[in-house]
Short mmCIF file of all heavy atoms in Angstrom, two decimals:
data_model
loop_
_atom_site.label_atom_id
_atom_site.label_comp_id
_atom_site.label_asym_id
_atom_site.label_seq_id
_atom_site.Cartn_x
_atom_site.Cartn_y
_atom_site.Cartn_z
N MET Q 1 -56.62 155.30 200.10
CA MET Q 1 -56.70 156.26 199.00
C MET Q 1 -55.68 157.38 199.21
O MET Q 1 -55.54 157.91 200.30
CB MET Q 1 -58.12 156.84 198.93
CG MET Q 1 -58.35 157.76 197.79
SD MET Q 1 -60.12 158.13 197.69
CE MET Q 1 -60.09 159.45 196.56
N THR Q 2 -54.97 157.73 198.16
CA THR Q 2 -53.95 158.76 198.23
C THR Q 2 -54.59 160.13 198.36
O THR Q 2 -55.59 160.43 197.71
CB THR Q 2 -53.09 158.73 196.94
OG1 THR Q 2 -52.55 157.42 196.80
CG2 THR Q 2 -51.97 159.73 197.01
N LYS Q 3 -54.00 160.95 199.22
CA LYS Q 3 -54.49 162.32 199.37
C LYS Q 3 -54.19 163.12 198.11
O LYS Q 3 -53.16 162.91 197.47
CB LYS Q 3 -53.78 163.00 200.54
CG LYS Q 3 -54.16 162.51 201.89
CD LYS Q 3 -53.42 163.34 202.93
CE LYS Q 3 -53.80 162.90 204.33
NZ LYS Q 3 -53.09 163.70 205.33
N THR Q 4 -55.09 164.03 197.76
CA THR Q 4 -54.79 164.96 196.67
C THR Q 4 -53.82 166.00 197.20
O THR Q 4 -53.61 166.11 198.41
CB THR Q 4 -56.07 165.65 196.14
OG1 THR Q 4 -56.58 166.48 197.18
CG2 THR Q 4 -57.10 164.63 195.70
N ILE Q 5 -53.27 166.79 196.33
CA ILE Q 5 -52.29 167.79 196.74
C ILE Q 5 -52.90 168.78 197.74
O ILE Q 5 -52.26 169.16 198.71
CB ILE Q 5 -51.66 168.51 195.52
CG1 ILE Q 5 -50.49 169.40 195.94
CG2 ILE Q 5 -52.68 169.32 194.75
CD1 ILE Q 5 -49.26 168.65 196.28
N VAL Q 6 -54.14 169.17 197.55
CA VAL Q 6 -54.74 170.18 198.43
C VAL Q 6 -55.13 169.63 199.80
O VAL Q 6 -55.36 170.39 200.72
CB VAL Q 6 -55.96 170.87 197.76
CG1 VAL Q 6 -55.53 171.63 196.52
CG2 VAL Q 6 -57.06 169.88 197.43
N GLU Q 7 -55.19 168.32 199.96
CA GLU Q 7 -55.52 167.72 201.25
C GLU Q 7 -54.30 167.56 202.14
O GLU Q 7 -54.42 167.20 203.30
CB GLU Q 7 -56.19 166.36 201.04
CG GLU Q 7 -57.55 166.45 200.38
CD GLU Q 7 -58.10 165.08 200.01
OE1 GLU Q 7 -57.31 164.20 199.64
OE2 GLU Q 7 -59.32 164.92 200.09
N ARG Q 8 -53.13 167.85 201.62
CA ARG Q 8 -51.90 167.73 202.39
C ARG Q 8 -51.65 169.01 203.17
O ARG Q 8 -52.18 170.07 202.83
CB ARG Q 8 -50.73 167.42 201.46
CG ARG Q 8 -50.92 166.09 200.73
CD ARG Q 8 -49.88 165.91 199.64
NE ARG Q 8 -50.24 164.82 198.77
CZ ARG Q 8 -49.70 163.61 198.82
NH1 ARG Q 8 -48.78 163.34 199.71
NH2 ARG Q 8 -50.09 162.68 197.98
N THR Q 9 -50.81 168.93 204.19
CA THR Q 9 -50.45 170.11 204.96
C THR Q 9 -49.53 171.01 204.14
O THR Q 9 -48.93 170.57 203.15
CB THR Q 9 -49.72 169.73 206.26
OG1 THR Q 9 -48.45 169.14 205.91
CG2 THR Q 9 -50.54 168.76 207.10
N ASP Q 10 -49.41 172.26 204.56
CA ASP Q 10 -48.48 173.18 203.89
C ASP Q 10 -47.07 172.59 203.87
O ASP Q 10 -46.38 172.64 202.85
CB ASP Q 10 -48.45 174.53 204.59
CG ASP Q 10 -49.66 175.39 204.31
OD1 ASP Q 10 -50.61 174.90 203.64
OD2 ASP Q 10 -49.66 176.56 204.74
N GLU Q 11 -46.64 172.04 204.99
CA GLU Q 11 -45.30 171.47 205.10
C GLU Q 11 -45.11 170.31 204.12
O GLU Q 11 -44.05 170.18 203.49
CB GLU Q 11 -45.02 171.01 206.53
CG GLU Q 11 -44.94 172.14 207.54
CD GLU Q 11 -46.30 172.70 207.96
OE1 GLU Q 11 -47.36 172.04 207.75
OE2 GLU Q 11 -46.32 173.83 208.50
N GLN Q 12 -46.13 169.47 203.97
CA GLN Q 12 -46.04 168.35 203.03
C GLN Q 12 -45.98 168.85 201.59
O GLN Q 12 -45.20 168.33 200.78
CB GLN Q 12 -47.24 167.41 203.21
CG GLN Q 12 -47.23 166.62 204.50
CD GLN Q 12 -48.52 165.87 204.74
OE1 GLN Q 12 -49.62 166.33 204.39
NE2 GLN Q 12 -48.41 164.69 205.35
N ILE Q 13 -46.78 169.84 201.28
CA ILE Q 13 -46.80 170.39 199.92
C ILE Q 13 -45.46 171.04 199.60
O ILE Q 13 -44.89 170.83 198.52
CB ILE Q 13 -47.97 171.37 199.73
CG1 ILE Q 13 -49.31 170.62 199.82
CG2 ILE Q 13 -47.85 172.12 198.40
CD1 ILE Q 13 -50.53 171.51 199.87
N ILE Q 14 -44.93 171.81 200.53
CA ILE Q 14 -43.63 172.46 200.31
C ILE Q 14 -42.55 171.40 200.13
O ILE Q 14 -41.69 171.52 199.25
CB ILE Q 14 -43.30 173.44 201.45
CG1 ILE Q 14 -44.25 174.64 201.38
CG2 ILE Q 14 -41.84 173.88 201.40
CD1 ILE Q 14 -44.24 175.53 202.60
N ALA Q 15 -42.60 170.34 200.92
CA ALA Q 15 -41.61 169.25 200.79
C ALA Q 15 -41.70 168.59 199.42
O ALA Q 15 -40.67 168.21 198.84
CB ALA Q 15 -41.81 168.22 201.90
N LEU Q 16 -42.89 168.45 198.88
CA LEU Q 16 -43.07 167.89 197.54
C LEU Q 16 -42.61 168.87 196.46
O LEU Q 16 -42.09 168.48 195.42
CB LEU Q 16 -44.53 167.51 197.30
CG LEU Q 16 -45.07 166.32 198.08
CD1 LEU Q 16 -46.58 166.24 197.95
CD2 LEU Q 16 -44.42 165.03 197.59
N ALA Q 17 -42.82 170.16 196.70
CA ALA Q 17 -42.50 171.19 195.72
C ALA Q 17 -41.01 171.49 195.62
O ALA Q 17 -40.51 171.81 194.54
CB ALA Q 17 -43.26 172.47 196.05
N GLU Q 18 -40.30 171.38 196.73
CA GLU Q 18 -38.88 171.76 196.76
C GLU Q 18 -38.03 171.04 195.70
O GLU Q 18 -37.27 171.69 194.98
CB GLU Q 18 -38.29 171.54 198.15
CG GLU Q 18 -38.61 172.64 199.14
CD GLU Q 18 -37.90 173.96 198.87
OE1 GLU Q 18 -36.91 174.00 198.11
OE2 GLU Q 18 -38.34 174.97 199.45
N PRO Q 19 -38.13 169.71 195.56
CA PRO Q 19 -37.30 169.06 194.52
C PRO Q 19 -37.70 169.47 193.10
O PRO Q 19 -36.84 169.54 192.21
CB PRO Q 19 -37.50 167.56 194.74
CG PRO Q 19 -38.52 167.41 195.79
CD PRO Q 19 -38.82 168.74 196.38
N LEU Q 20 -38.97 169.77 192.88
CA LEU Q 20 -39.40 170.23 191.56
C LEU Q 20 -38.80 171.60 191.27
O LEU Q 20 -38.31 171.86 190.16
CB LEU Q 20 -40.92 170.27 191.46
CG LEU Q 20 -41.63 168.96 191.12
CD1 LEU Q 20 -41.44 167.90 192.17
CD2 LEU Q 20 -43.11 169.21 190.88
N LEU Q 21 -38.84 172.48 192.27
CA LEU Q 21 -38.24 173.80 192.09
C LEU Q 21 -36.73 173.69 191.91
O LEU Q 21 -36.15 174.36 191.04
CB LEU Q 21 -38.56 174.71 193.28
CG LEU Q 21 -37.90 176.09 193.25
CD1 LEU Q 21 -38.27 176.86 191.98
CD2 LEU Q 21 -38.26 176.88 194.49
N GLN Q 22 -36.08 172.84 192.68
CA GLN Q 22 -34.64 172.68 192.55
C GLN Q 22 -34.27 172.19 191.15
O GLN Q 22 -33.30 172.67 190.54
CB GLN Q 22 -34.09 171.72 193.61
CG GLN Q 22 -32.58 171.68 193.65
CD GLN Q 22 -31.99 173.04 194.03
OE1 GLN Q 22 -32.35 173.61 195.05
NE2 GLN Q 22 -31.07 173.55 193.20
N ASN Q 23 -35.03 171.25 190.63
CA ASN Q 23 -34.79 170.74 189.28
C ASN Q 23 -34.95 171.87 188.24
O ASN Q 23 -34.13 172.01 187.33
CB ASN Q 23 -35.77 169.60 188.99
CG ASN Q 23 -35.21 168.60 188.02
OD1 ASN Q 23 -34.03 168.31 188.03
ND2 ASN Q 23 -36.08 168.05 187.20
N LEU Q 24 -35.98 172.67 188.40
CA LEU Q 24 -36.22 173.80 187.50
C LEU Q 24 -35.06 174.78 187.56
O LEU Q 24 -34.52 175.20 186.53
CB LEU Q 24 -37.54 174.47 187.88
CG LEU Q 24 -37.98 175.65 187.03
CD1 LEU Q 24 -39.50 175.62 186.86
CD2 LEU Q 24 -37.58 176.96 187.66
N LEU Q 25 -34.63 175.14 188.78
CA LEU Q 25 -33.52 176.10 188.93
C LEU Q 25 -32.21 175.52 188.41
O LEU Q 25 -31.43 176.23 187.76
CB LEU Q 25 -33.39 176.51 190.39
CG LEU Q 25 -34.54 177.35 190.95
CD1 LEU Q 25 -34.36 177.54 192.46
CD2 LEU Q 25 -34.67 178.68 190.23
N ASP Q 26 -31.94 174.25 188.70
CA ASP Q 26 -30.72 173.61 188.20
C ASP Q 26 -30.71 173.59 186.67
O ASP Q 26 -29.67 173.85 186.05
CB ASP Q 26 -30.58 172.18 188.72
CG ASP Q 26 -30.25 172.11 190.20
OD1 ASP Q 26 -29.87 173.15 190.80
OD2 ASP Q 26 -30.38 171.01 190.78
#
């Protein structure tokens, strides 16, 4: 079963968030 976003570590969440933020900024 896939972990939900809140079950991931801070580092994992930030790694997932970075490309979304980069896309938004670009």
Side-chain angles (χ1 to χ4, degrees):
M1 184 171 168
T2 304
K3 289 183 179 180
T4 66
I5 189 75
V6 297
E7 294 172 325
R8 298 170 193 258
T9 66
D10 284 6
E11 293 77 18
Q12 290 171 325
I13 293 171
I14 291 168
L16 290 169
E18 280 289 344
L20 277 64
L21 176 57
Q22 189 63 54
N23 209 35
L24 182 143
L25 292 173
D26 289 347

